[in-house]
Amino acid sequence: MTIRTNRDHGQHYRPRMACLKKLEAMVVEMQNPKGGVKSQEQRLVITTIPHAMTGQDIHAWIVNRLKFTAEEAQAFGTMLVAYGYLYPLQNHKKLVLKPDASLYRFQTPYFWPVQKWPADDTNYAIYLAKRNIRKKGVLEMYEQEHYNSLHKWMNHKWDFIVMQAKEQYRAGKERKKPDRVVFDCQERAYWIVHKPPPRTFSAMDYGLDRLIDPNEEEKKTIDYYRRIIIYIQQSIMRSRTKSTVSLGALVKFTTTYKNHDPFLAPCLPSNPWLTDDDSYWELNLPLVEIPTKMRVERWTFSFYELLNDPRGRTDFRVFLKKEFSGENLAFWEAAEELKWGTAESMKEKAQTIYKTFLAPGAPRWINIDQKTMDITVKGLVYPHRYVLDAAQTHIFMLMKKDTFGRYIKSPVFKDTQKKALSPQEHNFSDSQLEQNARNRRPGIHPILLHQQAEAEKAKVAATGGPVDIKQLRRFKAPLSHLALYSAPCPTGQDDGAWPPPSPIRSFSLSRGRHRRPPAPAPRGEYRSAAHRRRMTLCLHPSASPARDPAGGGRARHPARHSRTKARPRPKTIALFFQNGEDDSTESRFDLLDEECRDAAGVTRQEVICPWESATQQSYME
Amino acid sequence: MNRWHKSVGEIQARRRPVVECERGQAALSKVTACYQQLSSFLGSNSDCSRLREELEETRAMAYTICKGLQRRLTAQLTEGELPQEEREELERLWVLFISGLEIFQQDLRKAAALQHLFPLNQRRDRRGLLNTGCVGGGSGVAARAASVQTPWVRAEEEPSPELGAHVLQLDGMAQEMLQKVSVPFWSMEATQEAWPEDGEDQPDGEEAAAAAGAALEVGAAPEEDRGRGCCRNKRCRLGRVLCLLCVLN
């Protein structure tokens, strides 16, 4: 006991467990000698103990009383056993109701689970000590581990624990022998429910503790009524849909996902939670070579499903690579990374995203409408987590409406669909199930899985586009290769995957479908001399036909901003993050063919990020 | 006065409070253990008004022991004129006492809830009691509880409070004690060994319990390996032989 210092506003109360009261009422009904379950006697070596029941009797009673089907009754019975209101007399560790001749008995109410009071560690220590005193060496491995750790953490009251254990043992001996057996069974069942053996779960598990005591009646003060009023006002304010619409959506959802729900349809090959065989998890790893048919079918349901599944996303990426339009997906992923990343990296990420995707003439320019672009770029001045939300949504919709349909009809997807495997359903016999339960092994450690995922990501990023060897040799850094700006020389440049945030990146230029003479970006104002750092960017000509209407408008800009009319010369973004040699820019410029340069109208111009400082400092500082 | 000049009587008198407190703590352990055993009958088919009376008596006994022990411990520890070893012993008893109070309070709460859940006022309430398989009553345990005696003279007799009030009173008692005396709770070290054995058992009980324990696993599926190091092999063998004899007879 410690002095009550719980004045912190932390969570100390267990959540509501409303099922407990209902189960108690049911159990009291069950044991009624008139209308309850038939009881028989359990024959032990020396005595017989009354009030045992067979599983099938319990099952039949539940079916009768609650008008359940057989499976529901079995589930309900298992719940009764799992919560500890009944305990099995054979195989005490498996808390299941078996509707056969195996015996069960009611647990005494002293050992019933209670919502208010968790099972105490001190009591557990006393129980373990008592069992050890009664017979040395009878504790199992996990119990011994618990015992040792309790001995360490409760060392200050260890004398009390030992003393109490001895006293309880001696007090227990005052009872008659069959009663002692029964009490031992009861206590053991109680502790199996509340401190389950490893790799099983306890029905008393709950998530987090709650802030407010759920048993406490709230006093109806002014604050309470104020809160209720606000709540009701808000729920009135909410927009509502017609019930036909919402019901229609519900029906559509259930019909689509009916076969994929593990409760409604059997898992192929088998549900690991039921059969202890984890081939289902092996076959459905996040980045598995050959996905299962169910998984592939799921991708066709909606674009969201496709993107959420890592394997689906890789497939989609492969498809986009073939179509040379990976910038949308890359931007979407970059925006996700910004959303979920650390706060420190946000500024840097925002910069790179702007330079890669949003800047006028960026290498992987995404095609979003002017308004969204305005909002996004304005927001990037002070980047926060959700600054790219509007753009991300737009791109998502674009991909969903346009690319997704093409993907589903594409040979890439059809190939994956053909190759997908459909495993056979397992059919385990009882003894095989027991063997599976015995051979349970812990799976891959989540840290290892995370490392594997990171390695995959890095690999995907590294195998971005093909890298120009000449550049490599010269600058010894991963560089984007140069775009050839003139129309008649298309090269098979592939989109690189979005690289992970790191100082040295390799970008490859994404190719637009139509080669046009480069036009300056619509936002000429970013090029005015007032506020920028001079940086250079790799830019490529307009990427898609949708830009063409704007080209007309853009053509006016060169007249106004003569300085900015030409496109900047090609240069890698990587230079931002190295101690770039300024002279290299010149030489790279020279590398371009004379004609190409002329055709592209490339001059030594630079793209400026709008939020950079006004002073002309070298970015190397 | 030189230590060696003190008489035996004086030394004993000096030690008396500590010894009293130790005996009080042992008595409290005994009584709370009995209370726990008795309250496991609540709500089962061996629950009856007699059981509840026995529970009340045990609780009253526990109350007197608690009160007396608290008074003595607080007095001794706040006086402050104790030699080092005695002070340490008393602090150890302090920690044990407060731990005991905690456990006892939990048992009381549970018993109160159960008595509320299974009232025995009318005859038809007996139908609600669960058939748990215990046929015997708690009389043996109650007798054991009744046999506990307070190690001090029973001069101060207060009537014990109601069950609900008792729970709250224990709370108050613990808070009061913690505020009066500052004892470093967590720094106590255990004197008992980590894996204790009980030396006090009688042969009969042991064998029967062993046989009954083996009977617990009748019909059980083959279990995983246990670190079953059965000590006292002689006794076990003897127990098995006796068991066989009983069965044959």
Side-chain angles (χ1 to χ4, degrees):
Chain A
M1 268 170 175
T2 48
I3 298 187
R4 295 281 159 72
T5 47
N6 265 350
R7 306 235 180 125
D8 59 351
H9 296 284
Q11 292 137 285
H12 301 289
Y13 298 105
R14 288 170 116 205
R16 270 181 243 267
M17 296 177 193
C19 57
L20 295 182
K21 282 272 163 254
K22 300 176 190 174
L23 286 177
E24 280 167 18
M26 187 67 33
V27 168
V28 168
E29 255 193 69
M30 271 172 85
Q31 67 78 44
N32 194 344
K34 293 230 174 78
V37 186
K38 201 162 40 120
S39 81
Q40 17 179 273
E41 290 190 335
Q42 179 200 14
R43 290 212 156 61
L44 294 184
V45 178
I46 36 174
T47 52
T48 57
I49 304 180
H51 307 142
M53 302 160 288
T54 56
Q56 58 202 26
D57 284 340
I58 300 174
H59 189 253
W61 186 88
I62 295 174
V63 169
N64 205 355
R65 166 77 178 79
L66 293 170
K67 315 279 188 276
F68 276 164
T69 62
E71 293 156 341
E72 286 176 337
Q74 181 162 1
F76 185 77
T78 307
M79 199 163 112
L80 276 173
V81 181
Y83 271 109
Y85 289 101
L86 298 171
Y87 60 94
L89 298 175
Q90 297 120 347
N91 197 357
H92 59 273
K93 277 194 263 197
K94 193 147 197 252
L95 297 177
V96 192
L97 183 83
K98 291 197 212 161
D100 51 13
S102 41
L103 293 174
Y104 295 83
R105 194 176 278 136
F106 289 114
Q107 178 70 285
T108 179
Y110 181 75
F111 285 131
W112 276 356
V114 189
Q115 181 265 333
K116 273 189 284 189
W117 306 313
D120 198 29
D121 276 334
T122 323
N123 281 327
Y124 190 46
I126 296 175
Y127 159 70
L128 290 177
K130 198 166 35 163
R131 273 185 58 197
N132 193 54
I133 289 173
R134 175 157 50 99
K135 188 165 183 189
K136 225 174 157 52
V138 82
L139 290 182
E140 309 219 2
M141 272 318 295
Y142 76 95
E143 284 173 337
Q144 289 177 20
E145 283 173 25
H146 277 296
Y147 189 75
N148 287 328
S149 85
L150 283 169
H151 172 70
K152 182 172 158 204
W153 290 109
M154 294 205 169
N155 208 279
H156 58 285
K157 28 170 132 162
W158 192 252
D159 296 347
F160 165 72
I161 287 172
V162 170
M163 200 174 3
Q164 192 74 0
K166 289 188 183 165
E167 287 301 333
Q168 283 189 8
Y169 174 53
R170 289 175 208 151
K173 283 206 277 192
E174 299 292 335
R175 296 165 74 152
K176 302 203 188 70
K177 288 165 226 164
D179 285 358
R180 248 186 286 163
V181 172
V182 171
F183 182 75
D184 287 335
C185 286
Q186 286 170 350
E187 210 179 4
R188 180 178 64 176
Y190 174 75
W191 285 112
I192 288 192
V193 169
H194 290 268
K195 291 265 190 244
R199 297 200 284 281
T200 52
F201 70 103
S202 160
M204 294 301 289
D205 272 341
Y206 56 89
L208 299 170
D209 282 326
R210 306 290 192 256
L211 189 60
I212 309 172
D213 186 3
N215 299 317
E216 206 181 82
E217 272 299 320
E218 194 169 358
K219 271 201 278 276
K220 310 266 203 264
T221 57
I222 291 207
D223 282 331
Y224 167 79
Y225 285 116
R226 210 172 274 159
R227 204 183 80 221
I228 298 286
I229 288 172
I230 293 175
Y231 176 76
I232 296 180
Q233 278 174 343
Q234 286 182 341
S235 45
I236 292 175
M237 272 195 310
R238 272 183 222 134
S239 63
R240 286 172 282 274
T241 51
K242 277 169 77 168
S243 59
T244 47
V245 172
S246 54
L247 288 174
L250 197 62
V251 166
K252 183 163 172 224
F253 180 84
T254 41
T255 41
T256 331
Y257 285 89
K258 195 166 52 174
N259 290 331
H260 293 261
D261 189 308
F263 286 116
L264 300 176
C267 249
L268 299 173
S270 62
N271 193 333
W273 293 113
L274 297 178
T275 57
D276 293 317
D277 176 280
D278 55 1
S279 28
Y280 176 77
W281 289 330
E282 301 284 320
L283 290 170
N284 284 314
L285 284 174
L287 288 171
V288 76
E289 271 299 316
I290 304 179
T292 54
K293 272 210 166 25
M294 297 295 282
R295 199 171 176 179
V296 175
E297 193 189 325
R298 231 185 143 127
W299 301 345
T300 62
F301 288 163
S302 85
F303 184 55
Y304 182 71
E305 290 278 344
L306 179 70
L307 275 196
N308 257 359
D309 192 353
R311 182 69 181 76
R313 214 191 281 188
T314 13
D315 224 38
F316 192 57
R317 205 179 289 130
V318 167
F319 167 72
L320 289 177
K321 201 159 169 178
K322 293 224 164 74
E323 299 235 324
F324 312 121
S325 56
E327 70 267 11
N328 286 336
L329 184 64
F331 174 74
W332 188 87
E333 286 187 325
E336 283 284 294
E337 245 179 65
L338 183 74
K339 235 184 350 187
W340 295 102
T342 62
E344 307 158 319
S345 59
M346 219 164 289
K347 202 155 164 7
E348 186 190 300
K349 280 191 196 156
Q351 278 194 9
T352 39
I353 290 179
Y354 177 76
K355 283 171 209 144
T356 328
F357 295 105
L358 298 172
R364 310 185 78 182
W365 190 81
I366 52 165
N367 190 12
I368 49 180
D369 61 311
Q370 186 70 10
K371 200 170 74 161
T372 323
M373 182 69 93
D374 276 341
I375 297 169
T376 313
V377 176
K378 235 186 267 180
L380 279 171
V381 181
Y382 296 107
H384 56 92
R385 224 168 264 282
Y386 303 105
V387 64
L388 297 172
D389 230 17
Q392 190 185 11
T393 321
H394 184 99
I395 289 292
F396 182 85
M397 283 301 163
L398 202 72
M399 285 197 286
K400 178 167 136 169
K401 295 200 170 114
D402 180 34
T403 335
F404 181 55
R406 279 188 284 118
Y407 166 73
I408 295 293
K409 302 195 188 95
S410 73
V412 174
F413 177 67
K414 293 216 166 15
D415 194 36
T416 318
Q417 223 176 9
K418 225 186 337 195
K419 276 205 234 141
L421 43 88
S422 178
Q424 283 281 15
E425 189 168 348
H426 282 154
N427 221 340
F428 288 126
S429 67
D430 267 344
S431 60
Q432 276 174 316
L433 286 176
E434 309 243 319
Q435 187 168 22
N436 286 348
R438 267 199 297 273
N439 294 344
R440 263 190 293 200
R441 242 164 284 103
I444 313 179
H445 201 276
I447 293 183
L448 285 174
L449 273 177
H450 179 75
Q451 284 171 352
Q452 280 173 12
E454 297 284 313
E456 281 287 332
K457 253 203 296 197
K459 221 186 336 169
V460 164
T463 62
V467 180
D468 196 321
I469 304 175
K470 268 199 289 226
Q471 299 303 314
L472 259 186
R473 229 188 332 117
R474 199 170 175 128
F475 300 109
K476 297 186 178 43
L479 305 170
S480 61
H481 67 252
L482 302 174
L484 297 180
Y485 286 118
S486 47
C489 36
T491 55
Q493 301 161 24
D494 296 311
D495 286 338
W498 172 248
S502 65
I504 297 179
R505 295 167 215 244
S506 71
F507 296 122
S508 65
L509 304 177
S510 59
R511 289 255 319 171
R513 253 170 273 139
H514 300 260
R515 308 247 132 246
R516 304 244 149 193
R523 254 167 305 285
E525 60 260 26
Y526 294 112
R527 315 243 184 152
S528 66
H531 46 112
R532 357 245 99 78
R533 247 155 74 160
R534 298 171 67 77
M535 290 181 207
T536 57
L537 253 193
C538 253
L539 300 171
H540 70 106
S542 39
S544 69
R547 280 188 77 172
D548 293 339
R554 274 193 294 257
R556 282 187 278 111
H557 287 255
R560 280 195 286 137
H561 306 271
S562 52
R563 181 182 157 217
T564 62
K565 82 166 138 197
R567 296 185 70 71
R569 64 171 177 276
K571 190 172 177 179
T572 58
I573 292 180
L575 277 179
F576 285 115
F577 306 96
Q578 307 168 24
N579 297 327
E581 311 93 325
D582 270 329
D583 52 357
S584 64
T585 65
E586 317 299 323
S587 40
R588 192 120 14 99
F589 186 76
D590 296 329
L591 275 174
L592 268 185
D593 262 1
E594 211 46 56
E595 318 107 50
C596 286
R597 238 188 291 153
D598 285 351
V602 165
T603 58
R604 289 161 205 266
Q605 282 303 328
E606 289 141 0
V607 157
I608 303 104
C609 274
W611 56 81
E612 298 303 333
S613 63
T615 58
Q616 300 268 333
Q617 359 166 348
S618 149
Y619 59 82
M620 284 190 278
E621 286 171 16
Chain B
M1 207 198 301
N2 193 354
R3 168 152 80 138
W4 307 109
H5 289 314
K6 285 187 207 147
S7 66
V8 172
E10 271 177 23
I11 296 177
Q12 278 182 343
R14 237 206 148 103
R15 288 272 312 165
R16 195 181 303 130
V18 180
V19 170
E20 259 186 9
C21 291
E22 275 175 11
R23 293 220 193 104
Q25 178 64 28
L28 184 64
S29 280
K30 214 166 173 185
V31 172
T32 46
C34 293
Y35 191 84
Q36 196 227 12
Q37 282 286 327
L38 285 176
S39 56
S40 73
F41 283 117
L42 281 174
S44 71
N45 56 335
S46 38
D47 192 3
C48 54
S49 42
R50 176 84 200 111
L51 178 80
R52 306 221 172 169
E53 282 168 19
E54 286 164 359
L55 267 175
E56 287 296 312
E57 288 164 13
T58 320
R59 188 171 65 78
M61 168 66 76
Y63 178 73
T64 46
I65 299 180
C66 274
K67 262 268 176 295
L69 196 52
Q70 180 214 12
R71 198 173 307 139
R72 280 169 180 77
L73 273 178
T74 342
Q76 288 292 314
L77 282 171
T78 47
E79 268 166 33
E81 32 173 278
L82 296 164
Q84 190 55 28
E85 315 98 43
E86 287 180 14
R87 191 167 184 92
E88 274 174 15
E89 278 185 42
L90 279 176
E91 282 183 356
R92 173 179 302 282
L93 284 173
W94 178 270
V95 170
L96 301 187
F97 178 56
I98 294 193
S99 322
L101 282 187
E102 212 175 338
I103 300 288
F104 185 49
Q105 193 194 24
Q106 284 173 14
D107 276 339
L108 282 182
R109 277 206 206 115
K110 242 187 202 173
L114 286 176
Q115 287 186 19
H116 182 72
L117 207 59
F118 295 97
L120 288 183
N121 303 327
Q122 305 186 347
R123 221 176 137 65
R124 65 156 183 270
D125 291 331
R126 283 211 67 86
R127 265 189 276 138
L129 298 173
L130 264 75
N131 296 323
T132 53
C134 288
V135 287
S139 35
V141 185
R144 186 185 170 87
S147 71
V148 172
Q149 289 175 354
T150 53
W152 46 79
V153 184
R154 261 198 185 193
E156 61 274 350
E157 276 280 339
E158 298 170 21
S160 65
E162 294 289 337
L163 192 47
H166 195 171
V167 174
L168 298 170
Q169 184 261 346
L170 281 181
D171 255 346
M173 192 198 277
Q175 293 295 310
E176 201 188 301
M177 288 175 74
L178 285 167
Q179 277 163 351
K180 269 201 190 145
V181 181
S182 68
V183 170
F185 215 78
W186 316 102
S187 64
M188 286 294 145
E189 292 198 5
T191 54
Q192 303 265 4
E193 73 263 22
W195 295 83
E197 300 174 25
D198 192 24
E200 231 196 60
D201 46 334
Q202 308 108 8
D204 285 343
E206 180 63 25
E207 285 151 13
L216 280 175
E217 276 93 45
V218 161
E223 301 196 358
E224 302 170 29
D225 297 339
R226 299 149 139 241
R228 197 189 275 273
C230 200
C231 75
R232 302 190 193 131
N233 278 324
K234 298 183 285 232
R235 274 205 184 159
C236 270
R237 234 177 282 136
L238 198 55
R240 277 194 222 118
V241 167
L242 279 180
C243 196
L244 281 172
L245 286 177
C246 292
V247 166
L248 287 172
N249 285 350

